[in-house]
């Protein structure tokens, strides 16, 4: 890479002046192939199949898994598992299409697209880039709110579990959610100061372990409850008319589709995860496809077990959140461990989803005000004799303000199931299906009206109908919740 190439790259990547000087100082190394830098001049990536899988599992096995028993209860033994398998296939297939879009042109040496928006810009351009950016970052913002709500519910569940143990199951154990949302927000302000995605691999691995922990506990409790019941509860068609009205049955079934879609949503950060994988051989796309297959297979297996065993244990009465809806009361210490694991997992998952949004805003700020020391200056803070932390004032202020805002909105709108369903519905079609398919068609130059083109468009239209239906169901749920809601006065009984 020559001097002009480094300058051009520094403009594209919005490097600070200090970072540009480092790049220029290493030109000779870059030309001959460096042990410190990749082909694009950035520090060498170190991600592997396992770290990419950990990022995906952290993003996928989130709070969504806990609402699956409720979702299957709305759909029944036939449609519930079938819809889950269908979503798994669609997510895997479109993710393989998206993985091929990381590099433009040659899959080994082509220009890298660092973000989802970069990929859309490279293949589609125009208005679609702005539309993609708005949907992606609005969805990431919404996920942050959803995870804040879910974490507070799990923290309250620990308090309520201990309260029930001490005072009996019929005790009201009235607890406000606000203090717990604030606790989660404070922890996220601290973790949000980790500069970039590549440096949170350890947090993703911890979070992935936690997700398996609470999923396994939920599964185990479901199996134990099913054995105690001496049989499986539930029906082939789900919750019956009579228990709910016909209208409620429709809305709930549609909302269940949104819940399942949310449980699989990771395409919005797939390109960003792929950008952490070390350079070829093999190509990043091959590694990402293997990581996607492994992760989707593992998560689908867990989802089927947790969702189906939760439904088998409780039938039509399956709670909206399996570990906090108090279908289970004992052993209380095991519920405490499971809910603590959920909170730890959500701390990591919040970062996995928000780091791309943080990076986007910071890149935009550097491009807009390149001479502002508030935005570009890094203050070196020694940690040990060999390690230091670069404090950036803009990063500190902006990321902290973001966490405060998401926490405040969470305190205003603490409707876990409906928020989860709405997020899944809004992000599923455009980010998981539409853009990957359109980029694949552009990349492979698929002829219009050919068999492949028609099949891809039919898949896209079918998923659009599912998204719209799920969004309508979730909005109906939010409207119902708002009828009995007072701002900042949410508590759980």
């Amino acid at each position: 890479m020559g001097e002009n190439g480094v300058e051009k790259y520094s403009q594209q990547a919005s490097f600070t002046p200090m970072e540009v000087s480092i790049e220029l100082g290493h030109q000779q190394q870059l030309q001959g192939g460096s042990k410190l830098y990749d082909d694009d001049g950035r520090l060498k990536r170190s991600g592997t199949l396992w770290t990419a899988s950990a990022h995906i599992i952290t993003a996928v096995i989130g709070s969504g898994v806990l609402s699956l028993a409720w979702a299957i209860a709305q759909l029944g033994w036939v449609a519930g598992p079938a819809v889950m398998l269908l979503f798994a296939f669609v997510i895997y297939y479109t993710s393989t299409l998206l993985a091929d879009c990381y590099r433009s042109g040659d899959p080994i040496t082509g220009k890298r697209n660092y973000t989802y928006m970069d990929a859309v810009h490279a293949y589609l351009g125009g208005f679609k880039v702005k539309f993609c950016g708005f949907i992606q970052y609005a969805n990431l913002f919404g996920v942050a709110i959803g995870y804040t709500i879910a974490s507070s519910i799990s923290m309250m569940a620990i308090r309520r579990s201990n309260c029930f143990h001490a005072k009996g199951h019929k005790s009201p154990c009235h607890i406000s959610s606000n203090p717990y949302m604030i606790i989660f927000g404070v922890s996220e302000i601290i973790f949000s100061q980790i500069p970039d995605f590549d440096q949170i691999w350890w947090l993703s691995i911890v979070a992935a372990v936690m997700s398996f922990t609470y999923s396994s506990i939920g599964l185990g409790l479901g199996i134990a409850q099913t054995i105690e019941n001496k049989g499986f509860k539930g029906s082939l068609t789900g919750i019956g008319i009579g228990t709910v009205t016909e209208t409620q049955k429709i809305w709930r079934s549609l909302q269940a589709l949104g819940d399942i879609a949310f449980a699989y949503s990771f395409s919005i950060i797939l390109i960003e995860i792929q950008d952490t994988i070390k350079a070829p051989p093999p190509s990043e796309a091959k590694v990402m496809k293997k990581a996607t297959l492994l992760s989707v297979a593992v998560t689908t297996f867990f989802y089927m077990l947790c969702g189906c065993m939760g439904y088998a244990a409780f039938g039509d009465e399956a709670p909206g959140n399996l570990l906090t809806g108090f279908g289970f009361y004992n052993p209380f210490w095991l519920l405490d461990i499971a809910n603590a694991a959920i909170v730890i997992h959500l701390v990591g998952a919040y970062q996995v989803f928000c780091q791309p949004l943080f990076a986007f805003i910071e890149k935009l700020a550097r491009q807009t005000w390149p001479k502002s020391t508030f935005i570009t200056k890094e203050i070196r803070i020694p940690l040990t004799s060999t390690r230091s932390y670069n404090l950036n004032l803009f990063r500190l202020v902006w990321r902290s303000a973001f966490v405060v805002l998401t926490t405040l909105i969470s305190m205003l709108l603490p409707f876990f199931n409906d928020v989860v369903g709405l997020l899944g519905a809004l992000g599923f079609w455009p980010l998981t299906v539409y853009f990957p398919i359109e980029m694949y068609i552009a990349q492979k130059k698929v002829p219009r009206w050919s068999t492949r083109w028609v099949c891809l468009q039919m898949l896209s239209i079918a998923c659009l109908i599912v998204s719209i239906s799920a969004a309508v169901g979730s909005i109906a749920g939010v409207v119902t919740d708002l009828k009995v809601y007072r701002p900042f006065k949410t508590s759980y009984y």
Side-chain angles (χ1 to χ4, degrees), residues 169-186:
H169 297 172
K170 294 186 179 179
S171 172
C173 293
H174 172 86
I175 298 170
S176 170
S177 63
N178 293 344
Y180 299 97
M181 290 187 186
I182 292 168
I183 290 169
F184 184 78
V186 169

Side-chain angles (χ1 to χ4, degrees), residues 439-486:
M439 287 191 284
Y440 174 80
I441 288 171
Q443 182 190 48
K444 302 296 183 185
K445 297 180 173 60
V446 179
R448 186 179 287 265
W449 302 113
S450 65
T451 303
R452 180 180 290 185
W453 186 90
V454 170
C455 289
L456 288 170
Q457 296 301 334
M458 286 173 64
L459 173 63
S460 183
I461 291 168
C463 291
L464 172 61
I465 293 169
V466 169
S467 269
I468 292 171
S469 302
V472 169
S474 296
I475 290 169
V478 170
V479 169
T480 302
D481 288 335
L482 286 171
K483 290 177 182 176
V484 293
Y485 154 77
R486 289 183 299 161

Side-chain angles (χ1 to χ4, degrees), residues 64-73 76-77 80-81 84 215 218-219 222 226 232-233 260 299-315 318-319 322:
V65 68
L66 302 172
S67 65
L68 290 178
W70 180 90
I72 292 178
W77 279 117
M84 209 177 291
S215 298
L219 172 62
T226 304
F232 281 40
K233 288 189 176 183
I260 295 172
T299 52
T300 301
F301 177 71
F302 257 80
Y303 281 2
M304 292 292 282
L305 284 175
C306 291
C308 291
M309 290 313 303
Y311 184 41
F314 297 107
L322 192 60

Side-chain angles (χ1 to χ4, degrees), residues 25-351:
H26 286 282
Q27 281 179 57
Q28 295 302 318
Q29 286 179 296
L30 292 173
Q31 287 171 352
S34 168
K35 291 181 179 179
L36 297 175
Y37 297 90
D38 274 331
D39 55 0
D40 58 350
R42 292 194 173 186
L43 284 172
K44 214 158 189 68
R45 295 159 177 83
S46 56
T48 63
L49 168 67
W50 303 110
T51 60
S53 298
H55 283 316
I56 295 172
I57 289 170
T58 299
V60 176
I61 302 186
S63 51
V65 68
L66 302 172
S67 65
L68 290 178
W70 180 90
I72 292 178
Q74 311 315 308
L75 300 171
W77 279 117
V78 177
V83 167
M84 209 177 291
L85 288 172
L86 187 63
F87 272 103
F89 171 75
V90 170
I91 291 279
Y92 171 68
Y93 177 68
T94 57
S95 294
T96 60
L97 303 184
L98 191 56
D100 283 329
C101 298
Y102 174 63
R103 286 184 183 265
S104 302
D106 191 275
I108 303 292
T109 59
K111 178 184 173 295
R112 296 173 187 262
N113 296 308
Y114 302 110
T115 66
Y116 198 125
M117 267 184 76
D118 287 347
V120 174
H121 184 269
Y123 287 103
L124 303 177
F127 170 75
K128 289 180 180 178
V129 180
K130 293 179 180 178
F131 175 64
C132 167
F134 174 77
I135 293 291
Q136 183 189 10
Y137 295 120
N139 204 261
L140 292 175
F141 184 75
V143 167
I145 294 167
Y147 281 0
T148 305
I149 295 169
S151 67
S152 71
I153 292 172
S154 287
M155 283 188 269
M156 285 191 300
I158 294 172
R159 275 286 306 275
R160 295 184 72 212
S161 172
N162 293 332
C163 174
F164 288 138
H165 180 69
K167 299 179 180 179
H169 297 172
K170 294 186 179 179
S171 172
C173 293
H174 172 86
I175 298 170
S176 170
S177 63
N178 293 344
Y180 299 97
M181 290 187 186
I182 292 168
I183 290 169
F184 184 78
V186 169
S187 69
E188 289 303 342
I189 287 174
I190 295 168
F191 282 107
S192 291
Q193 302 313 312
I194 298 173
D196 59 56
F197 211 151
D198 203 31
Q199 294 177 26
I200 63 167
W201 61 269
W202 60 272
L203 191 59
S204 278
I205 290 174
V206 170
V209 170
M210 291 298 107
S211 67
F212 285 121
T213 301
Y214 68 71
S215 298
S216 300
I217 291 172
L219 172 62
L221 290 171
I223 292 171
Q225 184 69 42
T226 304
I227 293 170
E228 187 179 318
N229 296 341
K230 296 181 179 177
F232 281 40
K233 288 189 176 183
S235 64
L236 293 178
T237 56
I239 192 166
I241 307 297
T243 308
V244 293
T245 65
E246 287 185 22
T247 305
Q248 285 177 320
K249 171 72 175 178
I250 293 169
W251 291 143
R252 284 174 166 229
S253 297
L254 295 177
Q255 189 186 330
L257 294 178
D259 281 7
I260 295 172
F262 179 79
Y264 277 109
S265 61
F266 75 94
S267 298
I268 53 177
I269 53 169
L270 185 142
I271 296 287
E272 285 82 351
I273 292 173
Q274 195 166 338
D275 191 45
T276 67
I277 297 172
K278 61 186 176 185
S283 72
E284 298 94 347
K286 283 187 178 179
V287 175
M288 197 64 199
K289 287 175 184 178
K290 288 180 182 177
T292 300
L293 179 60
L294 175 64
S295 305
V296 171
V298 168
T299 52
T300 301
F301 177 71
F302 257 80
Y303 281 2
M304 292 292 282
L305 284 175
C306 291
C308 291
M309 290 313 303
Y311 184 41
F314 297 107
D316 291 349
E317 296 175 359
N321 187 317
L322 192 60
L323 292 173
T324 62
F326 288 92
F328 303 113
Y329 286 95
N330 286 300
F332 80 99
W333 56 268
L334 191 60
L335 284 171
D336 289 352
I337 291 172
N339 280 300
I342 292 171
V343 175
I344 295 169
H345 170 262
L346 291 174
V347 168
Y350 186 103
Q351 290 303 314

